[in-house]
Amino acid sequence: MFTNAFLSGLTMGGTYALVAMGLTLQYGVSRIMNLAYGEFVIAACFAALILFTSMGISPLLALLVVAPAGFAVSWLIYRILLTPLVRRAPNRGALEVDSILATFGMLFIVQGIMLALFGGDYSSYSYFNTPVELLGTTIAANRLIVLAVALAVALAAWSFLMHTRSGTAMRAVAVDPVAAGLVAIDVRWAAAAAFALGGAIAATGGVLVSMFLTFNANIGVVFTMKALIVVIMGGVGNIAGALAAGLILGLAESFVATYVDPGLTIAVTYAIFLAVLLLRPNGLFGARAR
Amino acid sequence: MTARPALVIAAGAAVFAALALVPFVADGYGMSLAIAIANYAILATAWALFSGPTRYISLATVAFFGVGAYTVAVLGEVLPWPIVVLAAAVNGTLLAFVVGLSTLRLAGIYFVIFSFGLTELIRQVVTWYEVKVTNTVGRYVFLDTDQSMIYWQLLGLAAILYLTGYLIGRSRLGFALRVIGGDETVARHVGIDTTRAKLMLFVLSALFMTLTGAIMAPRWTYIDPAIAFNPQISFQTVIMALLGGVQRLWGPLLGVIPLTLLFDWLNANFPNHYLLILGIVFMLIVYLLPQGVAGAIGKLSRSRTKPEPETDRKAHSAEARP
């Protein structure tokens, strides 16, 4: 029972971590609090579903199409819809309020489009749902794939941010956009690229999640909230923090469901989150507010 | 601002007296619209009372609203109505104190997310308690009341709210809040106890939200946690207040009336595309009316006397302050 709870918590946590990494980039670097984030995850779920059921393309191959599409769409959204808000906002607080409101409207639009296209019914498909024996318990293979991809994306994103010129530019923008501009970093480009990268990660998360989750057009908000919790727990803009916080959250939920009461898992999520927010408002690993 | 208080209060009293006559002329549909408008007018104005000057975006409106509604659902049939309302007020005030004391140190997005998380936490805990401990999913609210009574109670509450808001705007507390909204660091340096001022206003605003929930509870007949703590109520309150404009006491009302009518019309005519149209309307508001209707009106009247200030500064350039 323990290993079962542990493994399912780990795989669930991997999903949370993966989805949250995109949001932490968008919020940390581009300063856009994207409330429509979960809708993009669900849109990718539907894209994977269509590719799989109508053309028989495996979700892992579909990633090669859906992730770049997520990048392109997010880039356009940032350039066309969000840049005017960034220009107009007199300070960071105003931008935060504006971006929350704008992406809140976007949430309804994307959700409305998905409802019009697919209706409100739950859909799912079966891919790689073979049971695997691991540590004396069984687990679905697709869940292990998700965990592996989450770790791979975290590693890739972390090395990109730490060891490339573009990644360093993004970190500079995250710390101080004005100073970044002074040392000849193209702040607008870095912000747009980080936002688009976040969109690509959201799309990746959506495709992977669709392999084992039953989803409908209305559940995007769940992903947004979980991702937000993970982002704030891990520290805004902190990729490694997001990974750790996601895993912690997944494990906590899984253990509570197994040993306490399945009805309390969501309550526990929020309780942990509120406690972190009050005791360490900069995240579990954050050194200081930015 | 230059009008004499007695005159303003008398004019307000006359408007409310006229509004009290609505149940004698409106039919059932008209009454339900009037109640919806009164309901959101109180929620949005109470929301703006706190969030307007302090710029804290709270998504906890429905937490207080739901606490009020649930107090009525639990106590409504065993205690007389005034005592039930009093109990709701006490519950809401206590909750607001606890929340306010623990969260008002948080700023910006942290407060937004906290207030939303808090609402969800309360909803989950109430659901769990009802299912596990009391073995019910929902509760029936059978009270001897009708639409007109609910409307009059809401109207009375609105009158008290506007009077309170008006008096606060003219008091030291109101002035302190405007300073806090302008710059919190400056406010602290000139000797304003910012936490105390914010807490007082937060509790006051929450009290009105709780009472609204208590008054509205009998309208549903049946409530469960998903109805009483529906986050949509929080969101709609924020949208309406922001569309109207939160810098003036009467601002939110300018958002509440058109949006209540619009939501009603959308629900009746385009139930399938409701969300899509809602989203588009919302985006239009954000892009075209950033200061709300009240702000646009103020700008229009100001632009005749002096030129627009230069606002072409990037958001990224003004955040040196920690």
Side-chain angles (χ1 to χ4, degrees), chain A residues 206-227:
Chain A
V207 171
L208 291 172
V209 164
S210 74
M211 292 198 290
F212 62 84
L213 192 79
T214 308
F215 52 91
N216 78 354
N218 293 319
I219 63 164
V221 182
V222 177
F223 282 96
T224 311
M225 275 320 292
K226 287 270 164 70

Side-chain angles (χ1 to χ4, degrees), chain B residues 17-48:
Chain B
L19 285 175
L21 301 176
V22 167
F24 298 112
V25 290
D27 55 358
Y29 174 70
M31 276 313 293
S32 74
L33 266 185
I35 289 176
I37 290 176
N39 174 31
Y40 276 110
I42 300 174
L43 290 180
T45 309
W47 185 87

Side-chain angles (χ1 to χ4, degrees), chain A residues 130-143:
Chain A
T130 40
V132 176
E133 284 282 336
L134 193 70
L135 300 174
T137 181
T138 44
I139 190 159
N142 50 27
R143 295 214 168 211

Side-chain angles (χ1 to χ4, degrees), chain A residues 30-74:
Chain A
S30 322
R31 315 265 152 133
I32 300 292
M33 181 70 263
N34 187 0
L35 286 185
Y37 189 78
E39 315 308 314
F40 290 100
V41 173
I42 299 301
C45 284
F46 277 114
L49 174 75
I50 290 172
L51 288 175
F52 184 73
T53 49
S54 66
M55 290 180 241
I57 298 173
S58 124
L60 292 176
L61 278 177
L63 272 184
L64 298 178
V65 186
V66 179
F71 187 92
V73 170
S74 301

Side-chain angles (χ1 to χ4, degrees), chain A residues 25 32 50 83 96 115 145 150 226 235 248 251 260:
Chain A
L25 273 181
I32 300 292
I50 290 172
T83 310
E96 231 156 41
L115 275 175
I145 295 177
K226 287 270 164 70
I248 290 174
L251 286 172
V260 187

Side-chain angles (χ1 to χ4, degrees), chain B residues 172-191:
Chain B
R172 284 173 64 90
L173 178 63
F175 185 59
L177 284 161
R178 283 197 294 279
V179 178
I180 293 172
D183 191 323
E184 197 165 335
T185 317
V186 169
R188 272 201 297 274
H189 278 273
V190 296

Side-chain angles (χ1 to χ4, degrees), chain A:
Chain A
M1 191 142 127
F2 177 82
T3 37
N4 196 9
F6 182 74
L7 276 179
S8 85
L10 213 57
T11 50
M12 212 53 225
T15 321
Y16 294 156
L18 175 64
V19 172
M21 275 177 232
L23 191 68
T24 208
L25 273 181
Q26 291 192 338
Y27 185 46
V29 181
S30 322
R31 315 265 152 133
I32 300 292
M33 181 70 263
N34 187 0
L35 286 185
Y37 189 78
E39 315 308 314
F40 290 100
V41 173
I42 299 301
C45 284
F46 277 114
L49 174 75
I50 290 172
L51 288 175
F52 184 73
T53 49
S54 66
M55 290 180 241
I57 298 173
S58 124
L60 292 176
L61 278 177
L63 272 184
L64 298 178
V65 186
V66 179
F71 187 92
V73 170
S74 301
W75 178 279
L76 288 178
I77 287 177
Y78 186 84
R79 272 307 165 107
I80 296 170
L81 286 176
L82 299 174
T83 310
L85 296 182
V86 176
R87 278 206 206 127
R88 142 181 129 186
N91 57 46
R92 174 150 189 208
L95 176 61
E96 231 156 41
V97 172
D98 272 357
S99 67
I100 287 173
L101 297 177
T103 55
F104 185 57
M106 214 187 296
L107 183 164
F108 284 133
I109 293 177
V110 178
Q111 202 176 353
I113 292 173
M114 287 195 296
L115 275 175
L117 289 179
F118 307 105
D121 296 338
Y122 279 92
S123 12
S124 66
Y125 61 91
S126 184
Y127 176 76
F128 236 126
N129 205 3
T130 40
V132 176
E133 284 282 336
L134 193 70
L135 300 174
T137 181
T138 44
I139 190 159
N142 50 27
R143 295 214 168 211
L144 290 177
I145 295 177
V146 173
L147 183 60
V149 174
L151 294 174
V153 169
L155 191 67
W158 185 80
S159 0
F160 169 74
L161 286 176
M162 290 299 166
H163 297 297
T164 66
R165 267 186 90 80
S166 314
T168 312
M170 281 183 196
R171 282 190 291 135
V173 173
V175 174
D176 189 337
V178 183
L182 292 179
V183 294
I185 290 170
D186 187 344
V187 175
R188 255 187 240 170
W189 175 86
F195 191 82
L197 211 56
I201 294 179
T204 309
V207 171
L208 291 172
V209 164
S210 74
M211 292 198 290
F212 62 84
L213 192 79
T214 308
F215 52 91
N216 78 354
N218 293 319
I219 63 164
V221 182
V222 177
F223 282 96
T224 311
M225 275 320 292
K226 287 270 164 70
L228 258 178
I229 291 172
V230 172
V231 166
I232 290 177
M233 271 174 71
V236 175
N238 187 341
I239 293 278
L243 183 65
L247 292 177
I248 290 174
L249 200 65
L251 286 172
E253 280 189 4
S254 173
F255 280 116
V256 169
T258 313
Y259 291 107
V260 187
D261 189 332
L264 279 178
T265 44
I266 303 179
V268 165
T269 311
Y270 285 109
I272 293 179
F273 170 60
L274 297 187
V276 169
L277 211 45
L278 286 179
L279 302 175
R280 295 192 63 97
N282 302 320
L284 291 173
F285 314 99
R288 62 181 188 91
R290 223 186 11 239

